Amino acid sequence: MQGVPAPRAAVIMPAYNAASTIERTVKSILAQTMGDLLLIAVDDGSTDETAVILARLREEDSRVLPVSVPNGGPAQARNIGLEHVPQGTEYILFSDADDLLSHDALAYAIENAGDADLVLMGFSILNPDGSEAGYFEPAARYTPETIGAHLGRIYKANLLNQVWGKLFRAGLVLENNIRFQDYRWGEDRLFIYDCLERAGTVAVLPACKYQYIMYPGESLITRYYDKKLEVCCLADSRMETLCRRFHVTDERDFRYMFMKSVFSCLTTLFSPKCTLTAAQKRAEIRRAVENEQVQARSRDVFGGMAVQALCAVIRTKNVPLNYAAFCAVARAGTIAPALFTKLKHRK
């Protein structure tokens, strides 16, 4: 982007109908102890007061750059945000419009980045009941020659799934023309895999500096998306490519993570927000359990008795049995959400 002074860091934040949360999020970003930043806030066709709030915040702080676009989803919004990163910017960080960034998050990441192209910070999830869980790994630095032995552990720690809470060297993203693929779920991890494949050094930092907030009414089993299985399979294939790139010899952790995503695909068929008929749900289940990639990856998987049992059910290819099993899983998630969350994020 020409004509805008280059900040040390650009924060890209897509926003869709975020009027109730966006001001608090923006202020958590502007309050960073490392103040040399530009917040590129992409209003993704909101129909509430999001644009008005961003305009006011721009008047209060020139480091806010609002960009308004027709609704196209978070992937497109982030890509547009990348087009607005001023030339010469050193780092890029992504944020959602309803989460919080610790006041020293950018300083912490940049001061510990060194020569890293990608910095993976810890993060926490704040649940509606007030409970909080942290996801992090010990401090480490990896090169393409050393990361292979640790990639499975980092993946299972959920550090490669979300684009937020990570620091990207701007040159890595912009010079390689890395962009988000046009999906409305899972596009984060595909972007991260592309960056990981091209990164020189990857730094892992243990402190949880990004807080993902789950609001009342939000649930881990409500997000039905008709292309979810497609993205899961694509992400798994990309991870297989990374395993070859980094000479990973044991892929059981990766099969485990793929099967967890398949479980999620099947469970969300029974969420209140899924409007498919019973016949359509059976067709989706058949499509999943007859998928060759799903069948192949369901064998020799880590993860305890529950994972082993669900993999065994999938291997039967029996649609009524799978229908009953994942309907029960969804019901369990509704009855005991805390336990469901714990199991979902189990390493």
Side-chain angles (χ1 to χ4, degrees):
M1 181 181 178
Q2 303 295 328
V4 176
R8 189 158 193 204
V11 180
I12 297 174
M13 182 183 69
Y16 175 71
N17 287 351
S20 63
T21 62
I22 194 168
E23 184 161 359
R24 186 171 70 148
T25 301
V26 167
K27 289 186 174 179
S28 80
I29 295 169
L30 298 178
Q32 292 296 300
T33 56
M34 202 295 291
D36 186 10
L37 64 90
L38 176 69
L39 171 59
I40 304 169
V42 184
D43 175 23
D44 186 27
S46 297
T47 57
D48 64 1
E49 295 297 304
T50 295
V52 174
I53 294 170
L54 287 174
R56 173 171 55 79
L57 292 171
R58 166 69 176 182
E59 292 179 357
E60 297 172 2
D61 194 319
S62 62
R63 294 176 298 168
V64 179
L65 176 62
V67 179
S68 293
V69 297
N71 180 255
Q76 178 178 294
R78 292 189 182 111
N79 286 339
I80 291 170
L82 287 170
E83 298 302 324
H84 284 78
V85 173
Q87 186 175 2
T89 300
E90 192 172 353
Y91 295 105
I92 294 170
L93 182 138
F94 295 92
S95 174
D96 283 352
D98 55 358
D99 296 333
L100 293 175
L101 203 62
S102 296
H103 71 283
D104 60 343
L106 269 174
Y108 172 71
I110 292 173
E111 289 169 4
N112 291 282
D115 64 345
D117 290 315
L118 175 60
V119 179
L120 309 176
M121 290 188 287
F123 66 93
S124 63
I125 294 180
L126 179 64
N127 296 304
D129 63 4
S131 62
E132 190 168 6
Y135 298 85
F136 57 90
E137 282 291 297
R141 301 182 73 80
Y142 301 117
T143 65
E145 292 73 34
T146 62
I147 196 171
H150 309 276
L151 189 60
R153 191 186 74 252
I154 296 170
Y155 191 24
K156 287 176 67 179
N158 292 301
L159 295 185
L160 300 178
N161 291 336
Q162 305 88 4
V163 75
W164 40 253
K166 296 165 180 62
L167 190 72
F168 301 84
R169 194 171 294 278
L172 172 73
V173 176
L174 302 179
E175 292 169 15
N176 288 288
N177 197 32
I178 300 173
R179 295 295 186 268
F180 291 87
Q181 297 189 44
D182 191 18
Y183 293 107
R184 298 202 176 205
W185 179 91
E187 75 284 355
D188 289 34
R189 64 190 66 185
L190 297 173
F191 180 88
I192 293 168
Y193 297 170
D194 287 345
C195 292
L196 189 61
E197 186 173 33
R198 294 167 174 81
T201 300
V202 176
V204 178
L205 302 180
C208 297
K209 298 295 184 180
Y210 188 99
Q211 186 179 60
Y212 175 83
I213 302 175
M214 290 188 65
Y215 292 88
E218 183 180 3
S219 167
L220 291 170
I221 62 168
T222 60
R223 306 187 189 106
Y224 170 73
Y225 176 50
D226 60 350
K227 294 184 179 179
K228 194 168 185 177
L229 181 63
E230 176 185 329
V231 181
C232 288
C233 290
L234 178 57
D236 184 57
S237 296
R238 288 289 291 116
M239 184 53 73
E240 286 189 284
T241 299
L242 289 175
C243 285
R244 291 191 294 270
R245 162 87 167 84
F246 298 126
H247 307 291
V248 175
T249 56
D250 187 343
E251 293 193 13
R252 283 178 292 180
D253 287 338
F254 305 96
R255 287 194 288 272
Y256 166 67
M257 292 298 287
F258 173 61
M259 291 311 299
K260 280 181 64 177
S261 68
V262 173
F263 298 163
S264 177
C265 293
L266 296 175
T267 302
T268 56
L269 290 171
F270 301 97
S271 73
K273 294 185 179 181
C274 178
T275 59
L276 298 183
T277 65
Q280 289 171 323
K281 291 177 182 180
R282 286 193 291 270
E284 287 297 300
I285 290 171
R286 183 178 302 281
R287 186 167 67 93
V289 300
E290 293 184 352
N291 181 284
E292 292 182 3
Q293 190 171 351
V294 171
Q295 283 294 320
R297 301 292 266 179
S298 69
R299 294 174 170 82
D300 192 21
V301 175
F302 286 143
M305 291 181 60
V307 171
Q308 298 290 340
L310 289 175
C311 284
V313 170
I314 286 174
R315 287 198 299 273
T316 67
K317 299 185 182 180
N318 184 295
V319 173
L321 178 60
N322 277 273
Y323 191 107
F326 286 97
C327 180
V329 171
R331 189 170 301 165
T334 302
I335 295 171
L339 176 60
F340 185 86
T341 300
K342 184 176 180 180
L343 292 173
K344 181 178 176 68
H345 290 287
R346 181 179 182 271
K347 296 183 184 180

